[in-house]
Amino acid sequence: MTTGLAGALLADDGATVQHLVTHRRELHASPELAFKEIETAEYIAERLDALAVDRLETGVGGTGVVADIKGEAPGHAVLIRADMDGLPIQEAGDLAFKSNRRGAMHACGHDVHMAIALEVARVLAENRDRFPGMVRFAFQPAEECAGGAKPMIDAGVLKGIDRVIGLHVWSELPVGQISVRPDVVMASADQFTLTVEGKGGHGAQPHQTIDAVVIAAQVVSALQTLVSRETAPSSPAVITLGSVHGGTAANIVAGEVVIQGTLRTLDRELRTRLLGRIAELAAAVASAMRGRCEFRHDSAAPPVINDPGIAAVVVEAARGVVGAEGVVTFEPLMVGEDFAYFLEARPGCFFLLGGAPEGPRVGHHTAEFRIDERCLPIGFQVMTGAVLRLLQPD
Ligand SMILES: [Zn+2]
Ligand SMILES: [Zn+2]
């Protein structure tokens, strides 16, 4: 039955491809930034409503849209997540469906994710008698600032759900390839601010001051040892202090310096430990030099870690679409993804869909970002095949 329906979809009369391309292009032309996905959410809700889904809710965790489609027999409850936000980038090039909004662009491929999820919803809604369980679609705001997943989960989107699945189109993976990892897929991403406090004063009377610049210099150096001396060489970790600001003039001792940084790891425990050590070491260095240092955790996303059992099901579905040779295990990426929050709460899988365009390499988050639309039906088929398998009762 599973393969029967998936097989029927493979032999689609072209309606699926047409829907995928139309939705993707219309969404691409009208990108909206994080938490401002108003028209995007309306666009999605309208189409889901037309499918007579069993439940439709808007404004979930901000601008999120949630829809349930129930099968006719008992089975698993699977959540499919698609992110909706674009990026503050002015689109280059001259695509016919180029962004019509100045300074906003779908430069990460979230238009692709939405188009695929919408088409999966249509096909499932029209075949309710042919699958068990329940599928919930979560169209999520604000992935790019890692701020959208948690509010949706806090609003109860995982209630009654026992498995989760999501995909990301990837411009550096060839079309026809699907990357599924049984473990970590993407890194944790935390941003933090360290505020070093000393005591300002005259540049010629340093003994009457506590120089926050000198303390900050020691803090910057000391933090380099957390990866080089406290982390196993076999465990990847990055601490980058990308911004240091303090002082006003050459002859004035600065009383305050603000350091901003980011931490990336592939491991939940290492992440927690290093976050704690950054705060602890910075405070201890500052205190040893008569100053103070305060740690503020600005934003966070845990590492994206797949469940090996669910990943195996996705591999099976992907093989059915792109063949065994098309299923690869891409190296874990040091970028962050807030689908991690869904995977912390439920077993699931996040996989990469090859979408590399012809010609020179294009990176995500650039004005030149493009994908090859031939990836759309592939992503749709893999997602549908995986979901149909995951819905089956044990
Ligand atoms: Zn992105
Ligand atoms: Zn993205």
Side-chain angles (χ1 to χ4, degrees), residues 57-86:
E57 207 182 326
T58 56
V60 182
T63 51
V65 181
V66 177
D68 289 355
I69 299 175
K70 289 179 186 147
E72 287 188 349
H76 283 285
V78 180
L79 177 138
I80 301 177
R81 179 272 219 162
D83 39 11
M84 303 193 291
D85 53 329

Side-chain angles (χ1 to χ4, degrees), residues 83 87 107-110 143-144 168 170 336-337 364-365:
D83 39 11
L87 284 155
C108 199
H110 299 183
E143 186 283 320
E144 294 294 357
H168 208 302
W170 205 246
E337 231 298 341
H364 287 247
H365 294 203

Side-chain angles (χ1 to χ4, degrees), residues 102-128:
R102 271 200 77 73
M105 176 184 176
H106 272 298
C108 199
H110 299 183
D111 48 344
V112 169
H113 309 165
M114 289 186 278
I116 289 174
L118 276 177
E119 187 58 8
V120 175
R122 181 186 74 85
V123 167
L124 291 183
E126 288 174 5
N127 290 280
R128 279 185 175 86

